[in-house]
Amino acid sequence: MKKTKYDSFNAYMLRGAGFTEKWEMPIIENVPLSIPVELVLFSEMQRAKTSDAWVHFYTDDRRFKSIWTAPTKHLSQLRRFKGAISPDFSVYNDMPLAMQIYGVFQNRAVAYWLSTQGIPVIPNVRWGDKRSYDFCFDGLPSNSVVAVGTNGCLRNADDRMLFKSGLDEMCHRLSPAHILVYGPAPDDMFQKYIESGINVVQYPSEMRRVHEREAKAGVN
């Protein structure tokens, strides 16, 4: 698992990793139970005014593809912050299943590698339809902290049903102690988990923050 110019699969990232039995997903361990006070987008790291934030990847894949193609060049920037939420590689329900599996694998591989580089990592969980349940929770710790992104996932009734179904399955399989939510956290999806004792922490999306800043500027 040495890094070579021919290593197009980033096998070097997985040196020392354990793997799940069926899908051979890298196993993510030693997840910190820290709750981020603030999140900063990966592409905004250089402009961030605080180092107390955690870095997130809830945006178009093209905006963070370099964390896969050239991960080492970002280490010094990432180390300025408290930690990172693992990359949100796309897992759409209408993608071929092979691509969904690969997206989850990339998520786990980067998460594992960052943790070996001394960067605390909170795992992001992303699913498609029910077919993905067999592998999309693979390698993640139970009774720990996980993150999910809802931005763009609740646009219509079908999207909401898919997200709610996956959320229910995630909570059933992982029994998380904390769920970090980037984007809206509707009561009809999250309230029952709050009442069951899970700590649900919601963070506004970048778009919402921009709108709030514009509204505030308009008032002033």
Side-chain angles (χ1 to χ4, degrees), residues 185-205:
D187 287 346
D188 64 320
M189 295 185 184
F190 290 93
Q191 187 59 37
K192 67 178 180 180
Y193 295 115
I194 294 173
E195 292 173 357
S196 74
I198 296 176
N199 180 33
V200 176
V201 184
Q202 189 266 339
Y203 302 86
S205 68

Side-chain angles (χ1 to χ4, degrees), residues 4 15 23 39 75 95-96 128 139 144 214:
T4 72
R15 189 179 297 114
W23 296 101
L39 302 181
L75 280 178
M95 290 170 65
S144 186
E214 290 176 346

Side-chain angles (χ1 to χ4, degrees), residues 57-136:
F57 298 81
Y58 293 114
T59 185
D60 295 338
D61 291 40
R62 61 186 174 85
R63 296 184 182 275
F64 61 83
K65 65 180 181 180
S66 60
I67 195 63
W68 180 254
T69 58
T72 56
K73 80 173 188 178
H74 300 295
L75 280 178
S76 60
Q77 281 287 336
L78 286 166
R79 285 174 175 149
R80 290 179 49 225
F81 298 91
K82 293 292 187 181
I85 294 174
S86 63
D88 189 40
F89 291 103
S90 293
V91 183
Y92 296 120
N93 64 289
D94 58 354
M95 290 170 65
L97 197 61
M99 293 183 68
Q100 295 186 42
I101 296 169
Y102 187 56
V104 172
F105 173 80
Q106 288 178 293
N107 175 315
R108 302 291 189 275
V110 175
Y112 174 80
W113 181 75
L114 288 177
S115 70
T116 67
Q117 302 305 305
I119 297 172
V121 178
I122 292 172
N124 169 63
V125 190
R126 178 64 68 182
W127 54 84
D129 58 22
K130 290 183 178 180
R131 297 177 303 160
S132 70
Y133 297 172
D134 197 31
F135 56 83
C136 69

